[in-house]
Amino acid sequence: MIFALDPIKQFEIHKMGPTLKIGNFDLSFTNASLMMLVTVGLVVLWLLLSTNKRSLVPTRSQSVAEVTYEFVADMIRSASGKDGLKFFPFVFTLFIFILFANLLGMIPFFFTTTSHIIVTFTLAMMVMTLVIGYGVFKNGFGFLKIFWPSGIPVVILPFVSLLEIISFFSRPISLSVRLWANMLAGHILLKLFAGFSIMMVTAFGMFPGLLGALIPFTLTLALTPLEFLVAFVQAYVFALLTCVYLSDALHPGHH
């Protein structure tokens, strides 16, 4: 009963094997590690099954794979230009991994890896490392143009540049917190309403309890498809913002 009503218990990380430590770092295999492996495995399996029998008249699975491919490619072209397509494998991998991780977290008794800030922050830092690394590699000191916008009056340019610097280095925080907070809040709400339904039945008996559970049960049903939509939207927003940030590395003078 405690498990059913505790909305936080679903986010607990448990070790699944012997403790493995290197210095002060605990590298033990956990349920979070397992779900990330399951996510990667399902993505690979889906892509293999969708593309192993390519035909001019695509099957449903092949159509979904092709639509997903074009969806991500169009997103990159619109946000970063044609030059951004060189980063297609990275953006596509990010989008699919986050989407599958979000959707798998909707399955009862599964673990939602994107509901942990360390996971989303790691993904965000991967994005920013690529942006800064490629920006400096391609443009040298010209990459600093993103902090010195053109067309700004000289009087306020230092203040605008300071804001640009703060905005740039806060990107990994906003990128990771947005995904983490949305997945965490949505799952807590679902767990709370579902727990209220169970609590009503156990506290007041079958018939009056069912009447009392009607409202939270209805809210649970209503929130479930909304949470699936949020799972897709958050993967899309993360990938889209990645494309926007990569555009700064590709075209710092157009910032």
Side-chain angles (χ1 to χ4, degrees), residues 65-139:
E66 290 177 354
V67 168
T68 306
Y69 179 97
E70 285 300 325
F71 175 77
V72 175
D74 288 340
M75 177 170 53
I76 295 173
R77 280 191 289 263
S78 62
S80 304
K82 290 184 178 180
D83 291 344
L85 288 175
K86 65 182 68 176
F87 298 110
F88 176 85
F90 178 74
V91 178
F92 183 84
T93 302
L94 267 183
F95 173 74
I96 292 297
F97 175 81
I98 294 173
L99 178 61
F100 270 63
N102 291 349
L103 294 177
L104 284 174
M106 294 297 298
I107 301 175
F109 306 110
F110 274 54
F111 187 83
T112 312
T113 54
T114 47
S115 65
H116 280 261
I117 188 66
I118 187 61
V119 175
T120 59
F121 185 73
T122 300
L123 295 175
M125 286 305 299
M126 288 170 57
V127 173
M128 297 311 299
T129 300
L130 178 61
V131 169
I132 295 173
Y134 186 80
V136 173
F137 170 77
K138 181 177 183 294
N139 306 285

Side-chain angles (χ1 to χ4, degrees), residues 73 103 133 144 147 186 204 219 240:
L103 294 177
L144 297 177
F147 305 125
F204 299 105
L219 288 173
L240 179 62

Side-chain angles (χ1 to χ4, degrees), residues 7-255:
I8 305 299
K9 196 172 183 64
Q10 60 182 314
F11 306 115
E12 290 181 356
I13 294 180
H14 305 286
K15 294 180 182 179
M16 302 182 69
T19 300
L20 176 61
K21 282 192 173 183
I22 298 179
N24 294 324
F25 297 97
D26 190 344
L27 304 179
S28 304
F29 191 79
T30 65
N31 52 342
S33 308
L34 176 63
M35 280 308 303
M36 283 188 273
L37 287 178
V38 170
T39 301
V40 173
L42 287 177
V43 170
V44 172
L45 181 63
W46 169 61
L47 290 174
L48 288 176
L49 293 177
S50 300
T51 58
N52 66 342
K53 294 182 180 179
R54 293 183 295 273
S55 60
L56 291 177
V57 181
T59 61
R60 289 184 180 179
S61 59
Q62 182 181 336
S63 296
V64 172
E66 290 177 354
V67 168
T68 306
Y69 179 97
E70 285 300 325
F71 175 77
V72 175
D74 288 340
M75 177 170 53
I76 295 173
R77 280 191 289 263
S78 62
S80 304
K82 290 184 178 180
D83 291 344
L85 288 175
K86 65 182 68 176
F87 298 110
F88 176 85
F90 178 74
V91 178
F92 183 84
T93 302
L94 267 183
F95 173 74
I96 292 297
F97 175 81
I98 294 173
L99 178 61
F100 270 63
N102 291 349
L103 294 177
L104 284 174
M106 294 297 298
I107 301 175
F109 306 110
F110 274 54
F111 187 83
T112 312
T113 54
T114 47
S115 65
H116 280 261
I117 188 66
I118 187 61
V119 175
T120 59
F121 185 73
T122 300
L123 295 175
M125 286 305 299
M126 288 170 57
V127 173
M128 297 311 299
T129 300
L130 178 61
V131 169
I132 295 173
Y134 186 80
V136 173
F137 170 77
K138 181 177 183 294
N139 306 285
F141 287 108
F143 181 65
L144 297 177
K145 291 180 180 178
I146 64 173
F147 305 125
W148 202 258
S150 59
I152 304 295
V154 178
V155 178
I156 64 172
L157 188 56
F159 301 101
V160 174
S161 296
L162 178 61
L163 291 176
E164 290 290 342
I165 293 172
I166 296 173
S167 174
F168 182 85
F169 287 102
S170 66
R171 284 177 177 180
I173 299 175
S174 62
L175 195 61
S176 58
V177 168
R178 182 184 294 105
L179 174 58
W180 162 72
N182 277 278
M183 299 313 299
L184 183 75
H187 282 64
I188 288 178
L189 279 177
L190 283 176
K191 195 72 172 183
L192 280 174
F193 288 130
F196 283 147
S197 301
I198 299 172
M199 186 176 64
M200 287 293 184
V201 175
T202 55
F204 299 105
M206 183 59 68
F207 183 71
L210 287 176
L211 289 178
L214 186 60
I215 294 178
F217 180 73
T218 303
L219 288 173
T220 303
L221 291 180
L223 282 174
T224 299
L226 180 62
E227 192 65 12
F228 275 103
L229 177 62
V230 169
F232 170 79
V233 169
Q234 289 306 311
Y236 169 72
V237 169
F238 198 101
L240 179 62
L241 289 176
T242 298
C243 296
V244 173
Y245 300 158
L246 287 171
S247 179
D248 287 342
L250 292 164
H251 318 289
H254 298 164
H255 181 66

